[in-house]
Amino acid sequence: MPGPYAAPGPYTSPPAGPYGPYGTPGPYGMPRQSTSGLAVASMVSGIVCCLPPLGLALGLIALPQIKKKQQKGKGMAVAGIVLSSLATLLVVLGLVTGGIGEFWSGFKKGLDDAAAAQSPFSLDKGDCFRIKGKLETYTTDVDTVPCTSPHEGEVTGDFKLSGFKEWPGEDAIDKLAEVRCDRMNTDYALDTWAVPEEALVYYYLPSRQSWRAGDRSVTCAFATEEAPFTASLRSDASTLDAHQLHFLRTMNPIDDVIAEEPDEDADADLAANKAWAAKMHTAVTSASAGLRGHTWSGASAQPVEKLAGRLDAAAKTWQRLAKAADSDAFWADYEDAFDALSTDHESESRSSLGLTGTLEDSSGEDV
């Protein structure tokens, strides 16, 4: 017995044949027309313009095949022929006039510029780079250059932030970066006399947005906002010999302690200044012992021995400062203590070792 909807009613859809209802192709009707691959290739070659004659040839071959095989793609083949013809004509004109050489030079320069441009976080220790615009804490684009050419920055190292479960804020990262990057820069440029006074300890931090993407890198560098550097500032184990390294590692701690001089003078805080003078006495005494404990070769032996003797004399002056009974007694020996560490005494030893022998101030005058 027929079901309630078995018999066709007056408003049922027409039966499906090779074509579906209303003349549209049905799912199992006539096969769909294919698109000519040659036509596609011709149009792509015409658009890209890398091999214009090829696009022209492919288009001319495609047209009769499209007609014979009833394929689609006639419009693409024609477009490929037209574009390729124009490109071929331009190439011919370029060869005749020399314009193609200029185009290629510009194209190559663009590729070179693109290869040089990179993020600061992809830079390696020792890379020198140019900064586009002003120094910024966050940037995504710098250009690497040879260190012998003008540059505003030189990477001294990098480190990963750890111990934070969430974005700690710029201030927290800045405090860590200031300490870590200062140490990295110091280790990178042991010959401090060769570092221009305008060189800044600089670093690139993760931004809040890059932190979300997993960025935890801090890139440390020397940078300048004034005249660009024209040579590498690097002076470490990779560039110095054993004698140079020993000398700098022996003498640099004195400068480190000098930088710790209290902000308040002896009249305001005598105890702090006496404690600092005691540290200076220890640093100078250790430097003298370190110089005498090394075997120096050639022309450096005599100047270094003379420097060690001057350090012994300086140590006695710093000891008197550390034991000063009052601020007047402290000031009485203060200038003599610094005079005993005159750069003139160190300059001869440095020059004999092939290190920077002249310390310049910001005006370029010898000091």
Side-chain angles (χ1 to χ4, degrees):
M1 184 175 179
Y5 302 106
Y11 301 107
T12 57
S13 299
Y19 288 84
Y22 312 111
T24 58
Y28 304 105
M30 295 178 65
R32 296 181 179 178
Q33 288 179 293
S34 61
T35 300
S36 171
L38 290 174
V40 175
S42 173
M43 186 176 70
V44 171
S45 298
I47 293 173
V48 175
C49 296
C50 54
L51 292 171
L54 176 62
L56 177 61
L58 291 174
L60 292 173
I61 295 172
L63 282 177
Q65 289 190 3
I66 289 171
K67 184 176 181 180
K68 180 178 179 180
K69 296 181 179 181
Q70 296 295 309
Q71 292 179 307
K72 294 190 294 185
K74 181 178 178 180
M76 288 187 285
V78 172
I81 291 171
V82 173
L83 292 172
S84 297
S85 298
L86 291 173
T88 302
L89 180 60
L90 290 174
V91 169
V92 172
L93 290 174
L95 291 173
V96 172
T97 62
I100 193 70
E102 295 180 6
F103 167 78
W104 177 250
S105 297
F107 180 71
K108 184 176 183 299
K109 183 179 184 302
L111 291 177
D112 292 342
D113 291 344
Q118 56 191 134
S119 162
F121 302 111
S122 66
L123 297 175
D124 295 321
K125 182 178 180 178
D127 284 345
C128 295
F129 58 93
R130 299 226 64 171
I131 299 169
K132 297 180 179 180
K134 296 182 179 180
L135 284 173
E136 300 289 349
T137 304
Y138 307 122
T139 187
T140 58
D141 190 14
V142 295
D143 291 335
T144 55
V145 296
C147 291
T148 52
S149 65
H151 56 281
E152 288 80 22
E154 182 170 353
V155 177
T156 60
D158 60 69
F159 65 93
K160 296 285 187 182
L161 295 166
S162 60
F164 299 106
K165 294 183 179 179
E166 57 185 18
W167 167 248
E170 182 178 331
D171 289 344
I173 300 176
D174 190 74
K175 289 179 181 178
L176 287 173
E178 186 175 351
V179 174
R180 294 283 298 274
C181 288
D182 182 63
R183 176 47 54 189
M184 282 190 179
N185 285 23
T186 298
D187 293 341
Y188 184 87
L190 293 173
D191 189 358
T192 55
W193 286 24
V195 179
E197 187 171 296
E198 63 269 18
L200 306 172
V201 177
Y202 203 74
Y203 36 84
Y204 288 109
L205 311 177
S207 65
R208 183 186 294 271
Q209 291 74 21
S210 66
W211 180 276
R212 293 195 189 109
D215 177 20
R216 300 294 185 272
S217 296
V218 175
T219 300
C220 304
F222 278 114
T224 177
E225 293 180 313
E226 300 180 29
F229 306 133
T230 55
S232 174
L233 304 180
R234 189 168 194 170
S235 55
D236 58 12
S238 69
T239 63
L240 303 174
D241 63 34
H243 299 298
Q244 293 170 326
L245 276 173
H246 184 83
F247 182 87
L248 294 173
R249 287 172 175 167
T250 300
M251 294 297 297
N252 283 356
I254 296 177
D255 293 332
D256 293 339
V257 180
I258 288 177
E260 297 176 8
E261 182 175 6
D263 294 330
E264 295 185 328
D265 62 25
D267 292 330
D269 193 341
L270 178 62
N273 280 270
K274 289 175 62 176
W276 166 68
K279 289 185 67 175
M280 282 294 301
H281 171 260
T282 300
V284 173
T285 301
S286 297
S288 175
L291 293 179
R292 288 198 169 95
H294 183 79
T295 302
W296 303 97
S297 61
S300 62
Q302 185 176 354
V304 171
E305 177 59 33
K306 186 190 299 185
L307 176 60
R310 292 184 180 280
L311 290 176
D312 290 339
K316 294 177 182 178
T317 310
W318 284 103
Q319 188 174 41
R320 289 200 299 271
L321 282 177
K323 295 181 177 181
D326 52 37
S327 61
D328 289 337
F330 186 93
W331 289 121
D333 287 315
Y334 182 82
E335 289 189 12
D336 289 341
F338 273 102
D339 288 343
L341 297 177
S342 169
T343 56
D344 292 339
H345 301 157
E346 190 176 340
S347 179
E348 185 180 0
S349 296
R350 282 175 158 271
S351 297
S352 70
L353 288 165
L355 296 168
T356 305
T358 303
L359 181 64
E360 296 183 350
D361 65 12
S362 58
S363 66
E365 298 178 352
D366 295 350
V367 294

